[in-house]
């Protein structure tokens, strides 16, 4: 299968999947915006993995930091 057709099938299936979650065109626009962001990062030779890890783990780390700050009585306890 040529790469050109395979890419188009993957693109169409991903947009159908995004649209089917909440039946919203705005979700498709957000998905395409992230696709453009990924393309820009690829053109600038910036690594994408740290950004994805930050987006995935950022919320979890924030919750854990807030719960740890409640338990700390002195600032040096973090060290």
């Amino acid at each position: 299968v040529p790469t050109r057709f395979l890419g188009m099938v993957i693109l169409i299936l991903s947009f159908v999947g995004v649209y089917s979650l909440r039946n919203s065109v705005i979700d498709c626009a957000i998905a395409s915006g992230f696709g453009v962001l990924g393309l820009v990062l690829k053109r600038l030779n910036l690594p994408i993995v740290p950004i994805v890890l930050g987006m995935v783990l950022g919320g979890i780390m924030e919750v854990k930091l807030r719960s740890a700050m409640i338990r700390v009585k002195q600032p040096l306890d973090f060290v």
Side-chain angles (χ1 to χ4, degrees), residues 31-54:
S32 63
F34 276 111
V36 170
L37 177 67
L39 181 66
V40 167
L41 291 175
K42 190 172 184 178
R43 294 279 169 109
L44 293 174
N45 290 329
L46 294 174
I48 298 173
V49 175
I51 295 172
V52 171
L53 281 174

Side-chain angles (χ1 to χ4, degrees), residues 6-7 11 28 37 40 46 60 67 73-74 79:
L6 185 63
L11 188 66
C28 292
L37 177 67
V40 167
L46 294 174
I60 298 169
S67 66
K73 296 180 182 168
Q74 297 177 359
V79 179

Side-chain angles (χ1 to χ4, degrees), residues 6-78:
L6 185 63
M8 288 305 293
V9 168
I10 291 172
L11 188 66
I12 289 171
L13 287 176
S14 65
F15 276 116
V16 166
V18 167
Y19 183 76
S20 68
L21 287 175
R22 291 192 300 177
N23 294 334
S24 175
V25 180
I26 295 173
D27 292 341
C28 292
I30 291 171
S32 63
F34 276 111
V36 170
L37 177 67
L39 181 66
V40 167
L41 291 175
K42 190 172 184 178
R43 294 279 169 109
L44 293 174
N45 290 329
L46 294 174
I48 298 173
V49 175
I51 295 172
V52 171
L53 281 174
M55 291 174 67
V56 170
L57 297 177
I60 298 169
M61 289 176 59
E62 184 178 358
V63 169
K64 298 296 182 183
L65 177 67
R66 287 178 190 250
S67 66
M69 287 177 66
I70 294 171
R71 297 179 190 156
V72 172
K73 296 180 182 168
Q74 297 177 359
L76 291 176
D77 289 342
F78 274 122

